[in-house]
Amino acid sequence: MSQDQDNFRDSIGTIKEDGKRAWVFPKKPSGKLYEYRKYVSYVLLIFLIASPFIKINGNQFLMFNVLERRFNIFGFPFYPQDFHLFVISMIIGVIFIALFTVAFGRIFCGWMCPQTIFMEMVFRRIEYWIDGDRGAQIKLDRQEWNAEKIRKRVLKWFIFFIISFIIANVFLAYLIGSDRLIQYITDGPAQHVSTMVSLLIFTGVFYFVFAWFREQVCIIACPYGRMQGVLLDNKSIVVAYDYERGEAENGRKKWRKNEDREALGNGDCIDCNQCVNVCPTGIDIRNGTQLECVNCTACIDECDTIMEKVNLPKGLIRYASEDEITKKEKFKFTPRLKGYTAVLVILTGVLVGMMFLRNDLEANILRLPGQLYEHKEGNIISNVYTYKLLNKTTKTVEDVHFKLISPKGEIKLVRHENFDVDPEALAEGTLFIEINQSALSGDKNNLKIGVYSNDKLIETTTARFLAPRSYK
């Protein structure tokens, strides 16, 4: 490859030589893979929009309430006390993405990433509807601001804003919960000014991303593109140009009818540049795997269409690994993939086991700071404690009370004996534990306390009990 051909490595495809933004006007994609992508995108869009409003056992299907540190993942609630479970879940997600990337490259970006789905299947399709295809968009961009351009721009920007506002509402439902969002909408914006301001800020961010920043998110902001460079190897399946077939001995050459390209030593690539024109990030896939490529398959469909028109075999651009192109090797489950899979299976097993061991009621009983024991009549030693009970379910835990399992003793609650814990609520209070000195062994004793609901043991916890050193 010559020095001129290798210049693409000096900068990203959306930056001009003078450093200014090179606006991308991709041709409207079409073809078999694009149709498959549309079906996948529509399913994922429905999932993305519906998830905050789906309930499982009263829990929102997906929620990421960072402010209150409450998370729901597939209907399972996670609280600050479950932070270790949440961390394991996130690690599993990262390893799964790494495994997927090692095997299939950046296919997640092209098929499942919300940024790509919204950009290519929502905003870009609206743009094609209003502004037209690539040629019409370039012409409109260069056109002076006349009535036609103003009408199209205002209509497009208005629709983009409305869709951004809808996305912002869905995003807010993930953060604060769908029930609260619906309540805020019912109450009206005047009663929740701060929430409305936040909603407009989110709307502005989404509008900025999809109306202006666009593919720059994938190229500049998203760390996944950088991860790809670390994880990919010669065995990874990516959107690849078969340069051995496309270049042959004497390189590419424009198509001429009734020409024997094989005899002339030219490859199957007819240098039509349609793969470049259809690319949403403006790259030339013939230069090899690049940071900007999101594996959207638009170039595959376009190249197959051209190959069909000139009666050449399809698959000049296809899903393939470097080893498949150079060595004709098929995809193998490599030791590297086996390692990632093993780690993923182990962590998933650990998470499932911990989820089964997880209690619906979290109990914490701690000695009141700064308070010593009290020596009462009848050789009774008393310690004062605070308790916190977190109900992780959507049902009320009724008739809650405590019993000392070991050693023998008595638990007395301040103000009341039995109480209820409301759904997804925290109950707090103070209690005294009284134990006869004969049942104690030393100045520091470990207690086992049972939490009961309607005389049914639902949780156990431990606490430290202080006593005079002389008692044994």
Side-chain angles (χ1 to χ4, degrees):
M1 184 177 289
S2 67
Q3 181 64 36
D4 290 338
Q5 289 176 310
D6 205 34
N7 285 340
F8 78 95
R9 300 189 186 279
D10 296 338
S11 66
I12 59 177
T14 53
I15 301 295
K16 298 179 182 177
E17 291 183 2
D18 59 2
K20 294 181 179 180
R21 168 103 174 258
W23 196 268
V24 178
F25 297 98
K27 180 182 177 182
K28 185 177 180 179
S30 61
K32 182 177 67 175
L33 290 174
Y34 182 67
E35 292 300 315
Y36 291 156
R37 281 181 61 213
K38 282 200 296 187
Y39 299 143
V40 172
S41 297
Y42 295 152
V43 170
L44 291 176
L45 278 172
I46 293 171
F47 174 81
L48 186 67
I49 295 172
S51 289
F53 303 95
I54 296 174
K55 299 290 182 68
I56 295 180
N57 294 326
N59 295 313
Q60 189 169 307
F61 188 68
L62 287 176
M63 184 176 71
F64 305 94
N65 192 335
V66 179
L67 297 177
E68 297 179 6
R69 294 178 296 171
R70 288 179 53 193
F71 305 89
N72 288 354
I73 299 179
F74 304 136
F76 290 100
F78 293 88
Y79 293 83
Q81 293 84 350
D82 300 316
F83 185 71
H84 58 293
L85 297 177
F86 183 74
V87 169
I88 293 176
S89 300
M90 293 299 101
I91 293 175
I92 289 174
V94 171
I95 293 177
F96 177 78
I97 291 175
L99 171 64
F100 215 65
T101 304
V102 171
F104 303 110
R106 210 171 171 181
I107 192 173
F108 172 83
C109 297
W111 289 75
M112 291 172 279
C113 176
Q115 161 69 20
T116 303
I117 291 173
F118 277 115
M119 186 68 251
E120 301 303 323
M121 297 299 173
V122 179
F123 289 88
R124 194 86 78 182
R125 288 174 66 83
I126 292 171
E127 197 163 55
Y128 289 134
W129 170 59
I130 296 174
D131 293 348
D133 209 340
R134 171 181 164 82
Q137 289 183 22
I138 295 175
K139 181 182 177 181
L140 185 67
D141 183 66
R142 295 172 180 173
Q143 186 175 308
E144 293 184 0
W145 283 91
N146 54 21
E148 180 194 12
K149 186 170 182 176
I150 292 173
R151 176 179 58 82
K152 288 185 175 182
R153 285 289 187 264
V154 171
L155 177 60
K156 183 175 72 172
W157 293 340
F158 175 74
I159 295 175
F160 280 8
F161 180 83
I162 295 300
I163 296 175
S164 298
F165 184 74
I166 294 172
I167 296 173
N169 275 273
V170 174
F171 181 73
L172 200 61
Y174 279 100
L175 291 181
I176 66 174
S178 57
D179 292 340
R180 190 181 299 181
L181 175 66
I182 293 172
Q183 182 63 48
Y184 287 176
I185 294 173
T186 304
D187 294 341
Q191 297 187 35
H192 305 281
V193 177
S194 60
T195 303
M196 189 63 188
V197 171
S198 301
L199 189 62
L200 291 176
I201 292 173
F202 286 141
T203 301
V205 170
F206 288 124
Y207 181 83
F208 169 76
V209 167
F210 295 116
W212 189 84
F213 206 49
R214 302 191 155 206
E215 72 283 342
Q216 303 288 78
V217 172
C218 307
I219 298 172
I220 298 173
C222 181
Y224 190 50
R226 275 73 181 170
M227 236 174 90
Q228 174 186 240
V230 177
L231 295 174
L232 290 185
D233 57 27
N234 290 343
K235 301 182 186 301
S236 301
I237 304 294
V238 296
V239 173
Y241 166 65
D242 190 342
Y243 55 87
E244 291 201 344
R245 176 188 152 192
E247 307 294 322
E249 295 180 6
N250 296 326
R252 315 164 192 160
K253 188 176 184 294
K254 294 289 184 181
W255 173 256
R256 289 184 181 178
K257 194 173 181 180
N258 299 323
E259 183 179 60
D260 191 346
R261 299 176 66 87
E262 186 175 353
L264 293 172
N266 295 120
D268 285 354
C269 179
I270 64 172
D271 208 17
C272 62
N273 279 329
Q274 291 306 303
C275 58
V276 180
N277 293 338
V278 80
C279 179
T281 58
I283 66 167
D284 189 340
I285 192 63
R286 296 172 297 179
N287 289 327
T289 301
Q290 297 157 65
L291 168 69
E292 299 96 318
C293 180
V294 294
N295 285 24
C296 70
T297 72
C299 55
I300 296 179
D301 281 331
E302 197 65 25
C303 186
D304 283 349
T305 300
I306 298 298
M307 291 293 104
E308 192 173 16
K309 289 180 179 179
V310 297
N311 295 318
L312 289 172
K314 296 180 181 180
L316 182 60
I317 302 174
R318 63 183 186 273
Y319 275 122
S321 66
E322 178 70 17
D323 282 355
E324 181 182 340
I325 292 173
T326 57
K327 303 177 183 177
K328 310 303 177 186
E329 290 184 0
K330 296 298 182 181
F331 176 77
K332 295 180 180 178
F333 200 61
T334 63
R336 187 182 181 196
L337 290 175
K338 292 177 182 177
Y340 280 119
T341 303
V343 173
L344 186 64
V345 170
I346 292 171
L347 285 177
T348 303
V350 170
L351 178 64
V352 171
M354 295 179 76
M355 289 294 292
F356 275 110
L357 294 174
R358 173 178 178 262
N359 291 318
D360 292 335
L361 187 77
E362 182 91 15
N364 283 296
I365 299 178
L366 300 172
R367 289 190 70 259
L368 195 64
Q371 296 292 320
L372 294 175
Y373 58 85
E374 181 182 357
H375 198 170
K376 293 186 174 182
E377 294 181 1
N379 291 327
I380 299 297
I381 307 299
S382 175
N383 281 208
V384 60
Y385 297 82
T386 59
Y387 66 83
K388 292 183 179 181
L389 300 180
L390 175 63
N391 182 4
K392 300 177 182 178
T393 69
T394 56
K395 298 179 181 179
T396 301
V397 181
E398 300 177 341
D399 193 31
V400 176
H401 55 281
F402 302 94
K403 291 182 181 179
L404 193 59
I405 297 176
S406 65
K408 292 182 179 180
E410 187 177 0
I411 296 179
K412 296 181 179 180
L413 274 71
V414 177
R415 296 184 182 178
H416 50 252
E417 291 301 322
N418 297 359
F419 56 94
D420 297 338
V421 184
D422 294 331
E424 298 181 338
L426 180 69
E428 301 179 85
T430 306
L431 58 83
F432 291 91
I433 297 180
E434 298 179 351
I435 303 175
N436 192 289
Q437 61 182 6
S438 60
L440 300 173
S441 57
D443 57 340
K444 295 179 181 179
N445 300 264
N446 292 322
L447 307 181
K448 186 176 181 181
I449 302 168
V451 183
Y452 292 80
S453 173
N454 295 319
D455 292 325
K456 179 183 177 182
L457 180 65
I458 59 173
E459 171 69 314
T460 59
T461 186
T462 59
R464 182 64 64 90
F465 190 88
L466 297 184
R469 184 181 296 271
S470 58
Y471 295 124
K472 295 183 180 179

